[in-house]
Structures are given as C-alpha cells and as structure tokens.
Amino acid sequence: MIQVYFCPICGEVTYEDPLKMLHNEKKCNFCGNPLQNTGKEMSFFTKDRSEDRQERKRLVRRLRETVREEYVYGNPLFDKEKCEAREREDREWAERNKAGLNPLDNLPRCPTCGSTNLTRLSGVGLITMFGAFGVTDGNAGKTFRCNNCGYRW
C-alpha cells in the first residue's frame, strides 16, 4: 500500500512512508514544489512486473528512473536545470556518506518525533531549583528538550 510520488519540476521520486515520517506535507525535499501521486503503489513498479527474483531486484534499483521516464521527462513542468542540480546534490550526498562526512549523521534526534530541533537543558536551572526548594522542575536527569513535540530526555 505504499504510494509513489514524484516532483514534476526536478524529478525527485519518493514514497508515502518517508513523507509521513518527515511530516513534509507532500512537498519536494529538493525544490519545495508540491509532489504528485502516480496513483500506483510501489509494488506496481516492482514485483507485479516480474516473477523472477533477480529481475525484481533490478526493477527496485531502477524504480526512480522508471517513474521519471513515465511521469516526469515528458511533463511540461519539467525543468532540466533543476533536475541536473538535484542529481548533482544526490551524488554529493552519496559521496559524503561513503566517506562518512555527512554532518547530519552526528546530530541528536528526538526519540519521539525524530526532529533535530532541540534545546539543551541547563544544569544551572536544575541546581537552583533543587537547592532553593528541595525539588526539581521535572528535568532532573534530562539533557535535551524537543522544540517540536516538547518531549524531554
């Protein structure tokens, strides 16, 4: 039941699950334009087309390009320069990941919502509260607060 979405401008192809996790309201991660639904599930582009296991693996690897060929390249909204810029950024991201240089790999994330929009809780406030009243403000032992959902850990 995983729907496939595409950006008609830059050719970005994504799936329903990452869109839900990122809460990005079906907008392209690269150019910010609204994504369009292919009206087909991921399985349509993969297992439904072949019974051969090796062939299915090949189809999964080619899924993005298959969607682009069917829905993007002939679209009047398609912008070749934006597509090339997206592809260049994808290649650079892949190279950084291979080299272990992706700066987002080392960011703490909220265990509840996955956001990186966090605030480090101050130890001074904890000591002041504890010393003055003999109680804490509920942040004892907590290091971060998520600015997205409010969770503290």
Side-chain angles (χ1 to χ4, degrees), residues 63-130:
L63 186 137
R64 284 186 164 93
E65 192 58 31
T66 301
V67 171
R68 286 183 194 117
E69 288 169 357
E70 290 184 27
Y71 296 94
V72 178
Y73 296 142
N75 194 317
L77 299 173
F78 177 63
D79 185 337
K80 188 170 174 85
E81 282 113 28
K82 284 189 180 182
C83 181
E84 289 170 352
R86 180 195 45 77
E87 288 173 349
R88 189 171 39 256
E89 188 175 290
D90 286 347
R91 281 191 304 274
E92 290 169 1
W93 181 82
E95 289 299 317
R96 283 193 308 270
N97 273 347
K98 283 180 188 174
L101 300 175
N102 188 351
L104 298 177
D105 288 345
N106 295 324
L107 290 178
R109 294 184 180 275
C110 172
T112 302
C113 69
S115 173
T116 57
N117 183 12
L118 310 174
T119 302
R120 195 177 228 343
L121 296 174
S122 168
V124 174
L126 295 175
I127 294 169
T128 305
M129 288 293 289
F130 184 73

Side-chain angles (χ1 to χ4, degrees), residues 121 137-139 142-146 150-153:
L121 296 174
D137 64 352
N139 290 332
K142 311 258 196 269
T143 308
F144 293 102
R145 178 186 177 280
C146 177
Y151 184 72
R152 297 169 188 224
W153 75 100

Side-chain angles (χ1 to χ4, degrees), residues 11-27:
E12 172 71 0
V13 176
T14 190
Y15 317 104
E16 196 166 26
D17 289 347
L19 292 173
K20 286 179 185 175
M21 288 188 319
L22 296 174
H23 307 288
N24 85 348
E25 302 170 14
K26 298 183 179 146
K27 294 206 178 218

